[in-house]
Structures are given as C-alpha cells and as structure tokens.
Amino acid sequence: MGKSSHWRCRTLVRSVARAIPTATDIKLPSQSTFGTAGVKAESGGSTNTFSESNPTLSQITLSAFMMGLTHTVSWELLQDVSLFQTFGVTDLLNAVAIAEGGFFVTGNGTGQPQGLIGNTGTGTAAPYLVESTGVYLLNAVDDVLGTLKGSYFANAAWLMSRATAVAIRKAQRQANLYAPVWTREGGRDCLHGFPVSYSANMPALPTATSAGVVPVLFGSFQDGYVIGDRGGAGTFVKILDQPLATAGQTVLLGYKRVDGRVRRSEAIQAVTISHS
C-alpha cells in the first residue's frame, strides 16, 4: 500500500503573486497595450463623439504541469534511523519548491510555467552599469519607480536575490545618502518604502561584459502574475511501500501540478543592469 499526504510550502514568487485553484485548463484575458481615455467636447448643435482607443487583447491558457521527484530508501535505513522518513519528506518538499520557484522566474512557458524574466514591462529599458560605487545601481532602482503606473502602487513590491540586496545596501552606505532608501520595517526589508521579496532564482548582477540582465523586478505581482494550482497549492507526498517490496525498499514520492503566467505585463517593471 501507499500513504499520501498534502504539504503546504510557499515559494517567494508565490507569496507575492495571485494564486487560484484550477480543476481544468482555463483561459484568462490578458493585455499588451491599453486604452487611453480623453476629453470630448459637449454635444449640442453638433455631435461630438468619444475618441476610440482599443486595447490589444489576447488570452492566456492557465494549465497544469506535473513536477516532482522520488527518493528510494531501504527498509533497514527507515528502521535504523527513526527520523529519516521525516528528513526525506522535507527534502522532497524543498526540491519541489525550488523547481517551482525557478520556473516562475525563468520558465519558457512551453511544457512548463512561464517565467517573469523577459515577459514584464521593460521598466528602465536601457541597461544601467554596475560600477564600484554602486551609484548607477541606486539610480536604477530610483528610476524604475517612475515607470510603474500609479494604479499598481498599492500592491507594489520588489523581487530580487539576496546577493543583489546586499549590493544595494553597500551602495547606500558608500553613497552616504541623506535619507536611506533601504530600510527594515516591521521585521521586513523595504526599498523606497515597498517590501522586498527574495528569490534565489532571480538573475545575479553581472560580473563580466553583458548586454544586460534583469536582477530586479518592481510592481504589483498580484496584478501581473497568476499561478494556477491543480489539486491544491501544496506538494503531495506519497509513501509507496509495495512497488519495490521484494527488494526491501520504499519509494518516497513528492509532486504537484501547477502553472504560472504573466497576465498583465505593465504591472511589473524590470531593472536591467550591464557590467561596466
């Protein structure tokens, strides 16, 4: 027989994005360009019409892709090391969470979730240079604030690796700013007053000549990125003691079905950095 359990584990992208349960593939509307409203003259003796401004509409399919792994362990190990099963299950959960987080950041969207990198707003567009004082890095995170529309600021947050965060903090110290832009409020790191979330899957700052990488994203991930969970947000763990019983082995299986898609690219803006 086999035993099955369901474990909840939140990745960092998942913690800031919008997650919805799905039972089948569903189609969601998306926009790449947006309508613009304007003033119209009053209608009286003549007819003055509203100007027409149509958004570019499309649709995305939120599906579900299976990801997971197995551990095969001997009955002797399970009997002799009482905590090994718990240790093995924890490793399964971590591995699935790491895989999921990687797809949410850099997935190509074909047979796997679509990642954020390359699918958001261009933000600062032309790459800023990394240099010893870090001033350009500070300028980059300053300037991206001006590229996000005001309607997204209520839920805005930053996403970066911890190494990038360290570089920003060092640059702040070197610049000796009259008011720090990097602070810690209520036990959480903040940049320009907006909370910072970390993902080890976010690209690192370049250390060699590069045309530009995106180590920082800023915006409303709630509006811009949607995650579809098939069968629940957690990872399923099955303990299978029959398939390899004649070999005296038990299979620990961890898996989940999930998809992620950029729904509104303008809600998330990128900071592009090149090496000097």
Side-chain angles (χ1 to χ4, degrees):
M1 318 179 48
K3 298 178 182 178
S4 178
S5 299
H6 183 259
W7 303 74
R8 187 68 177 267
C9 187
R10 292 177 67 84
T11 60
L12 270 301
V13 174
R14 178 181 289 279
S15 70
V16 292
R18 183 182 303 276
I20 61 175
T22 64
T24 61
D25 289 3
I26 59 175
K27 296 188 181 298
L28 299 173
S30 65
Q31 289 177 261
S32 55
T33 64
F34 301 82
T36 302
V39 174
K40 99 170 182 64
E42 292 186 8
S43 296
S46 61
T47 300
N48 297 305
T49 60
F50 289 96
S51 60
E52 183 172 350
S53 179
N54 295 318
T56 301
L57 298 175
S58 59
Q59 64 183 21
I60 57 175
T61 299
L62 196 62
S63 187
F65 302 104
M66 183 75 78
M67 61 183 72
L69 73 164
T70 63
H71 292 331
T72 301
V73 296
S74 69
W75 291 355
E76 292 87 349
L77 184 59
L78 289 174
Q79 290 174 345
D80 294 345
V81 183
S82 60
L83 295 178
F84 188 83
Q85 181 172 308
T86 301
F87 176 85
V89 168
T90 300
D91 186 74
L92 292 174
L93 298 177
N94 287 338
V96 174
I98 290 169
E100 176 189 71
F103 288 124
F104 290 165
V105 173
T106 59
N108 62 29
T110 301
Q112 60 184 253
Q114 179 190 42
L116 289 158
I117 300 299
N119 297 302
T120 67
T122 55
T124 55
Y128 287 67
L129 296 177
V130 170
E131 31 66 63
S132 59
T133 65
V135 172
Y136 291 156
L137 183 56
L138 290 177
N139 288 343
V141 295
D142 279 344
D143 291 347
V144 76
L145 294 171
T147 68
L148 186 69
K149 291 184 178 180
S151 58
Y152 300 118
F153 272 83
N155 295 316
W158 301 89
L159 184 69
M160 64 185 75
S161 71
R162 291 188 181 275
T164 298
V166 169
I168 294 173
R169 293 200 298 271
K170 286 181 177 178
Q172 175 174 273
R173 288 197 299 271
Q174 289 176 308
N176 193 25
L177 302 178
Y178 69 90
V181 297
W182 190 284
T183 58
R184 188 164 179 82
E185 303 171 17
R188 185 167 189 181
D189 290 338
C190 293
L191 179 58
H192 287 293
F194 297 96
V196 179
S197 289
Y198 298 107
S199 172
N201 301 107
M202 283 292 290
L205 291 170
T207 56
T209 302
S210 169
V213 298
V214 178
V216 178
L217 293 171
F218 174 70
S220 174
F221 296 87
Q222 285 276 319
D223 293 302
Y225 196 74
V226 60
I227 296 170
D229 292 310
R230 192 71 56 87
T235 297
F236 288 91
V237 174
K238 292 184 179 291
I239 302 171
L240 308 174
D241 56 7
Q242 292 298 311
L244 299 178
T246 56
Q249 295 175 320
T250 294
V251 177
L252 305 179
L253 166 65
Y255 72 94
K256 74 185 312 179
R257 297 180 68 202
V258 67
D259 192 11
R261 300 282 152 176
V262 174
R263 183 178 184 181
R264 187 171 292 229
S265 59
E266 73 163 11
I268 305 169
Q269 298 295 325
V271 173
T272 305
I273 303 291
S274 286
H275 193 272
S276 57

